[in-house]
Amino acid sequence: MPGYPYGWMWAGGFFALAVIVVLSSPVVVSGFARRIGNNDDVELDVRALFGLIRYRYKLPSMSLDGMAVKVDEQVSTSKAGMNTWKEFNDEIDADKVVSSIEKYKHILYVTRDLKGWIKNTLARVNLTEWRWSTTLGTGDAMWTAMATGAVWSIKTAIIGLLSQMVQVKNAPFMEVHPSFSGTVFKTEWSCTAQIRFGYAVLAGLQLLVRMKKWKGGVKAWQNNLFRA
């Protein structure tokens, strides 16, 4: 069978090409947030393997109840076209904030060089879109002008910090509009970032190795993050 070896060569070449395409495919993370008055709208969308794997998080409403913040959450996971939506109601108070901080501090302690891992992973991220528009007014012309300058400073500081952590591929779009007609606050933000699937897999493996370097590292991640 003279064609037999060539068949295996073609199959091996096709498999290698498929692996290269998969590892080179982007993991796309898109974020959106909008606040108009007391109304909030937050969304996070993660797509991988050309949309075969997808994760969506939506925060349709958030309200203040005394000293706690009540949030309604929606989470969608999709694998190969199978989609599942889940809804959650949660309440965030001072005790939960303190508890979360302590959990993250513990994870930072039991994971070897977690800060270095975060820095190296973010260096592989390409920020392809960044748009942030804000309209504000305090009811007083002088304070409105001062607030506008402060918001501009905050925005430029944030994008300056990001440019040191990730690769900014396109110029960010930012604007601040003062409103001298009354008290108003509206802001809308969106961004898109990408990382190659191969880099994401490698980062996950590196994190797993770092978790196992310290006794109880894997268990700490399971108890504090994965279970949540």
Side-chain angles (χ1 to χ4, degrees), residues 9-190:
M9 290 176 61
W10 276 104
F14 179 79
F15 177 77
L17 179 61
V19 170
I20 293 174
V21 170
V22 168
L23 294 180
S24 301
S25 65
V27 177
V28 183
V29 181
S30 301
F32 173 82
R34 175 173 55 200
R35 181 176 180 85
I36 302 177
N38 295 323
N39 299 320
D40 300 283
D41 188 12
V42 179
E43 293 184 24
L44 177 67
D45 187 285
V46 181
R47 300 187 305 276
L49 295 181
F50 308 102
L52 292 177
I53 299 177
R54 187 174 185 181
Y55 172 88
R56 295 177 63 195
Y57 173 86
K58 185 175 183 180
L59 182 69
S61 65
M62 182 169 58
S63 59
L64 185 63
D65 183 17
M67 297 300 292
V69 177
K70 289 186 175 181
V71 295
D72 295 326
E73 301 169 281
Q74 297 176 356
V75 176
S76 169
T77 56
S78 176
K79 295 181 179 179
M82 300 295 292
N83 187 66
T84 303
W85 271 99
K86 295 181 181 180
E87 296 188 7
F88 305 91
N89 295 316
D90 200 2
E91 186 174 278
I92 304 173
D93 54 17
D95 291 336
K96 280 194 174 183
V97 173
V98 173
S99 176
S100 297
I101 293 175
E102 292 300 321
K103 288 179 179 180
Y104 283 110
K105 287 172 62 177
H106 181 60
I107 288 175
L108 185 64
Y109 174 75
V110 298
T111 307
R112 182 176 181 181
D113 193 22
L114 181 59
K115 292 182 179 179
W117 175 84
I118 294 174
K119 182 179 179 180
N120 293 334
T121 303
L122 288 177
R124 300 288 189 178
V125 174
N126 297 323
L127 185 64
T128 59
E129 181 187 34
W130 180 275
R131 301 178 64 89
W132 193 357
S133 176
T134 303
T135 301
L136 62 90
T138 64
D140 180 89
M142 183 186 69
W143 285 108
T144 297
M146 293 177 63
T148 300
V151 171
W152 264 118
S153 299
I154 293 173
K155 288 187 176 186
T156 53
I158 291 175
I159 197 64
L161 179 62
L162 278 175
S163 64
Q164 299 179 23
M165 300 169 62
V166 302
Q167 301 182 43
V168 181
K169 294 300 183 180
N170 298 307
F173 174 82
M174 298 187 297
E175 57 183 6
V176 181
H177 300 292
S179 177
F180 299 102
S181 59
T183 302
V184 62
F185 180 78
K186 297 187 296 183
T187 189
E188 185 172 311
W189 165 87
S190 63

